[in-house]
Amino acid sequence: MTDPKQEDWTDLSAVWTTPDPAAALPSAAAPDLARAVRRRDRLATLNFHLEAWGAVGAGVVAGWVAFRHEAPVLGVAGVAFGLFALVATLWARRGARPGEADTPAAALHAAIGQARSGVHWARAGQAICAGAMAFILVLGLAHPSAALPAIYLVSFGFILAMAAFYERHARRCRTRIARHEAALRELD
């Protein structure tokens, strides 16, 4: 210990300052990111089915109510809203399947694709909110009542809150896209 060799300290210094490739952020985060991609894919698939079948159900119920109660305006508006919601849901989900995330780069690419799909979902949700407002306006004009101002207030308040939720989701997705793109650049 009284006569340490210079190369011993140099070797120790080299080991201390050389980053461990296994501990690099993109590589170490790949299994967690791959798990998150699979989890988001399962949730997005469930959400897609709920929204798509909900839109179909809304159109069918509107058509049935219109036929049963002889309200063609309600039927046309309800079916149109259901079709619009279905088309918006299908548009938002396109390209959302992540594929395999077996490497860090593939996991990042899959996560970026999912986040872009999340932005599309948010924009489609906001468009559906606008469609819901139009449907409620048509319904109110076709069947006026004394309770209409209260119905409009509650309905539009809820729809505006949902539109704000979709905007929050879009911002979170854009942040995730930027973070994953930065990690992908570091990986290269």
Side-chain angles (χ1 to χ4, degrees):
M1 193 74 178
T2 58
D3 190 18
K5 296 180 184 173
Q6 183 64 22
E7 61 268 6
D8 290 339
W9 291 105
T10 314
D11 292 340
L12 180 61
S13 173
V15 168
W16 182 259
T17 58
T18 303
D20 181 10
L25 176 64
S27 299
D32 292 336
L33 184 59
R35 259 192 307 280
V37 165
R38 286 190 299 273
R39 180 183 55 83
R40 283 193 180 109
D41 182 49
R42 285 190 304 271
L43 290 173
T45 300
L46 174 66
N47 186 56
F48 167 75
H49 284 287
L50 290 172
E51 287 180 356
W53 289 111
V56 169
V60 168
V61 167
W64 179 78
V65 167
F67 177 74
R68 177 99 168 123
H69 297 285
E70 296 179 8
V73 173
L74 173 65
V76 170
V79 170
F81 175 67
L83 284 173
F84 175 72
L86 181 61
V87 168
T89 298
L90 293 172
W91 173 80
R93 186 68 177 153
R94 71 178 170 34
R97 299 305 305 199
E100 293 299 319
D102 51 355
T103 66
L108 287 167
H109 282 294
I112 290 169
Q114 275 186 334
R116 285 191 179 127
S117 179
V119 172
H120 293 164
W121 177 75
R123 296 301 173 233
Q126 289 173 329
I128 291 169
C129 286
M133 284 182 158
F135 174 73
I136 292 169
L137 282 172
V138 167
L139 185 61
L141 293 173
H143 300 286
S145 82
L148 204 53
I151 291 170
Y152 280 165
L153 181 67
V154 171
S155 299
F156 291 167
F158 176 75
I159 290 170
L160 289 174
M162 290 304 300
F165 162 78
Y166 285 123
E167 184 59 34
R168 177 180 171 264
H169 182 77
R171 287 181 183 179
R172 291 177 70 193
C173 287
R174 284 194 304 269
T175 300
R176 226 175 17 244
I177 289 169
R179 190 175 66 237
H180 294 322
E181 285 176 343
L184 198 56
R185 282 190 299 274
E186 285 181 21
L187 195 62
D188 293 336

